[in-house]
Amino acid sequence: MALPLVSRGKDAQAGACCAPIARQPLSEGDATELAVLLKAVADPVRLRLLSMIGSHAGGEACVCDLTDAFELTAPTISHHLKVLRTAGLIDGERRGTWVYYWIVPETVNRLGALFAR
Amino acid sequence: MALPLVSRGKDAQAGACCAPIARQPLSEGDATELAVLLKAVADPVRLRLLSMIGSHAGGEACVCDLTDAFELTAPTISHHLKVLRTAGLIDGERRGTWVYYWIVPETVNRLGALFAR
DNA sequence: CTATCATTTAGACGAACGTCGAACCACTCG
DNA sequence: CGAGTGGTTCGACGTTCGTCTAAATGATAG
């Protein structure tokens, strides 16, 4: 994707003032790609899931740990996890009885790199 | 909102393990509030609008500058601007014939503070 | 005051989304 | 093997979203 780091040379006043998104107009392609990522995260349930997984001891959480925190059915939680996974924000695998998920930091960082100054 | 900064001290590149969102589980209230913000930004057109406004000379752009970059009707652009404005990501005012918009950095920073490490 | 340009509002429509219940798959344990 | 538990897939339903056209509002120039 190569988010353009335009700030070559001096990022004097206008340079370091603001988030990357406010430094140079986003290309149509980058915008489309980033919107997919943001859509995956633009839901209260998925935001909490991501946060719960990321902050869980050992860096991963099994679905059984996640389901109880919501008043939602298992299929719904499973659906949200799939959305996060498809977006590349989390990954997971089955280990015996349970399925574990963990965060993919690279993908999360791409969001941070967009808005952080 | 007071996102907890759990790890103070040295956060050199590898120092800070992860984004705030992965440090502590998001509360339901915070998640809902942040999701509103993220939803506003989770669209390619709005992402580009935000970027174009933020990177425009003088820190503001009039609608006339924005419309031409898209193959969308004026009402559609106006709709997207309203979404961004309602979310508090931009603000604007009419000056004579044209309407100008600018970024609200505080709101953008809240997104940066979520994902940046 | 009317003509005209810039922008927003209103209403409509198809597509995408979040949720559920039911059925299905994967694994473990008698 | 067969029963039971944890998760996912499937199909359906109501809601929200992005877009458009048509019409309304604001502001400037004749």
Side-chain angles (χ1 to χ4, degrees), chain A:
Chain A
M1 189 124 144
L3 249 205
L5 304 185
V6 172
S7 53
R8 45 197 266 196
K10 55 180 79 174
D11 22 295
Q13 44 185 16
C17 78
C18 34
I21 200 184
R23 294 217 183 100
Q24 183 181 17
L26 233 40
S27 78
E28 190 172 345
D30 285 354
T32 302
E33 200 176 334
L34 286 166
V36 171
L37 222 51
L38 286 165
K39 247 188 250 284
V41 139
D43 178 276
V45 174
R46 290 196 290 269
L47 220 37
R48 288 178 65 199
L49 283 173
L50 193 64
S51 183
M52 290 172 69
I53 293 171
S55 61
H56 198 270
E60 54 182 33
C62 88
V63 178
C64 58
D65 293 326
L66 305 171
T67 304
D68 299 340
F70 302 87
E71 296 185 345
L72 292 171
T73 64
T76 299
I77 298 296
S78 189
H79 161 70
H80 285 303
L81 288 170
K82 186 178 189 178
V83 171
L84 288 173
R85 188 175 194 168
T86 301
L89 285 158
I90 62 175
D91 200 1
E93 69 178 6
R94 168 163 229 132
R95 286 206 287 272
T97 303
W98 294 285
V99 176
Y100 292 85
Y101 286 98
W102 56 88
I103 276 195
V104 177
E106 295 76 22
T107 312
V108 175
N109 289 161
R110 279 175 57 192
L111 293 180
L114 233 201
F115 298 110
R117 49 179 174 179

Side-chain angles (χ1 to χ4, degrees), chain B:
Chain B
M1 273 265 303
L3 261 197
L5 328 172
V6 172
S7 94
R8 34 201 256 179
K10 53 181 56 181
D11 50 270
Q13 48 193 20
C17 76
C18 36
I21 199 183
R23 295 220 183 97
Q24 184 180 13
L26 233 41
S27 78
E28 188 172 347
D30 285 355
T32 302
E33 199 177 333
L34 287 166
V36 171
L37 223 51
L38 287 165
K39 248 187 249 284
V41 139
D43 178 276
V45 175
R46 290 196 290 270
L47 220 37
R48 289 178 64 200
L49 283 172
L50 193 64
S51 183
M52 291 172 70
I53 293 171
S55 61
H56 199 270
E60 54 182 33
C62 86
V63 178
C64 57
D65 293 326
L66 305 171
T67 304
D68 298 339
F70 302 87
E71 294 185 346
L72 294 171
T73 63
T76 298
I77 299 295
S78 187
H79 161 71
H80 285 303
L81 288 170
K82 187 177 189 177
V83 171
L84 288 173
R85 187 175 195 169
T86 301
L89 285 158
I90 62 174
D91 200 2
E93 69 179 5
R94 171 164 227 131
R95 285 205 288 274
T97 303
W98 294 285
V99 175
Y100 292 85
Y101 286 97
W102 56 88
I103 276 195
V104 177
E106 294 77 22
T107 311
V108 175
N109 289 162
R110 279 175 58 191
L111 293 179
L114 233 201
F115 299 110
R117 51 179 174 179

